[in-house]
Amino acid sequence: MLKDAQGLVVTTEKAQAIAAINRFIDQALYYGKDAETAILQAIAADPTCALAHAYAAAYYLSQENSKAWQQAQPYLQIAQQHSAKITTREKLYLQAISAWANQEIEVAIAIHEKITNRFPQDLISVQQGQYHYFYLGEPEKLLQIAQKVLPRNQENHYLYGMVAFGLEQCNQLKAAEKMALRAIALNRYDPWAHHAIAHLMETQGRVDEGITWMESFADTWENCNSMLYTHNWWHIALYYWQLENYQKVLQLYDRHIWERANKQSPKDQVSAISLLLRLELRGVNVGNRWEAISPYLYSRIEEHALPFQDLHYVYALTKAGHHDWVKQMLQSMQYHTLRINPFLRQRWLEVAIPAARGMVAHAQGDFNTTVAELKPVLSRLHTIGGSHAQQVLFQQVYQDAAFSAQKQSWIYAAS
Ligand SMILES: [Fe+2]
């Protein structure tokens, strides 16, 4: 048995496997583009290493699409086959990832809490716990799972970035800024800490400062995965949107967001869609950009990885004129609620499905239906996840519909 760079025991005798696991951990915490390569190298170095297989499964599950979910399965099976003599932490981690694969998110979270109580150096478990809390709309718990391990990771800038994001989502903006700046002082290459700063400056209305600050770190994102590369640029684009510099927003969309997106990646697609929607809310002509995205959304129709994502897809498909696909997707969402884990069912049934109908109605210009569908669920939309900056989009759609419906009624009354 050997120890990883966090000082945690891994069941392997191969130094090369440990070196690759260390690279994977660093890549995962940095949101680097080489995380997949690193973990596959660990498996190649020691095909019997259960933890490496569990990490690979977690990597594919985090892609949130059906093809990657299928890719995760054999890694989980091999991890199980080699699990007889692994450590308690490795067993727990494997259970957490298996629960995630079964969509038993509440079980996965409970195990990540247990791991981080007993092994506070395990920052991959902290990150995955935060990830689940993020998509359940539970910012306090997202913060707590990172905060509780601070005493044991005093010099780890990645953890400071994770805590900073949690503080920001809990509206503790001063503390969030201090924590993110601590991370960046230790290592300028901490894109998740940059991301926390992007959020808090936006919340505080520090738009010009946010642009200068974020652009000064953009060179450090070149080796990020496409999700965080495009998302950090999405935050910069939001600043320009607030300044009503729509030409610049379109330029950033073309150069750094859709251009640099992994076109098959749900998270990259969501950033692009949410930016186009915001531009249209301001009356900007986005040209054929909806049509350019829509072919990549076909495989999303019956996927239903995360309700937050689905609300974006139905909007984009409607705007691109794929009404049959939209109908199919809305029906499939209904069917999905019959199969899903009861813990998640209410979020789909009572929040996501009416909200999806509201989003479709807005994209069709049916503002009365938008208001009727969105108004009852607005206060619960946070339970399907996303950050404040992402969630506010649904409020903006609702407000636009309420205003437009009112305007239409005035025109009707005057005619
Ligand atoms: Fe963000």
Side-chain angles (χ1 to χ4, degrees), residues 119-144:
F119 306 95
Q121 310 99 303
D122 190 343
L123 295 192
I124 291 293
S125 261
V126 173
Q127 187 187 46
Q128 283 172 358
Q130 282 202 317
Y131 179 88
H132 294 313
Y133 285 132
F134 180 76
Y135 282 112
L136 293 175
E138 301 205 33
E140 290 83 10
K141 290 178 180 170
L142 183 155
L143 171 60
Q144 283 161 10

Side-chain angles (χ1 to χ4, degrees), residues 315-328:
Y315 198 93
L317 290 172
T318 308
K319 292 303 295 189
H322 293 293
H323 302 295
D324 288 347
W325 293 3
V326 173
K327 198 174 159 194
Q328 195 183 332

Side-chain angles (χ1 to χ4, degrees), residues 169-243:
Q169 290 296 296
C170 290
N171 275 317
Q172 298 180 46
L173 303 182
K174 275 191 180 172
E177 184 164 3
K178 198 173 158 192
M179 191 65 73
L181 292 177
R182 263 175 90 182
I184 297 157
L186 285 172
N187 187 350
R188 185 171 173 267
Y189 285 73
D190 191 332
W192 194 244
H194 305 154
H195 174 250
I197 293 274
H199 271 271
L200 69 91
M201 285 190 177
E202 196 206 342
T203 307
Q204 293 174 323
R206 294 155 66 184
V207 175
D208 292 316
E209 186 186 355
I211 290 172
T212 307
W213 200 90
M214 285 294 279
E215 287 184 348
S216 76
F217 286 97
D219 62 294
T220 69
W221 309 333
E222 282 301 320
N223 290 317
C224 280
N225 60 30
S226 64
M227 186 285 288
L228 196 52
Y229 179 92
T230 59
H231 187 72
N232 273 349
W233 276 105
W234 176 85
H235 276 283
I236 295 176
L238 276 195
Y239 290 133
Y240 283 107
W241 180 82
Q242 287 180 351
L243 292 175

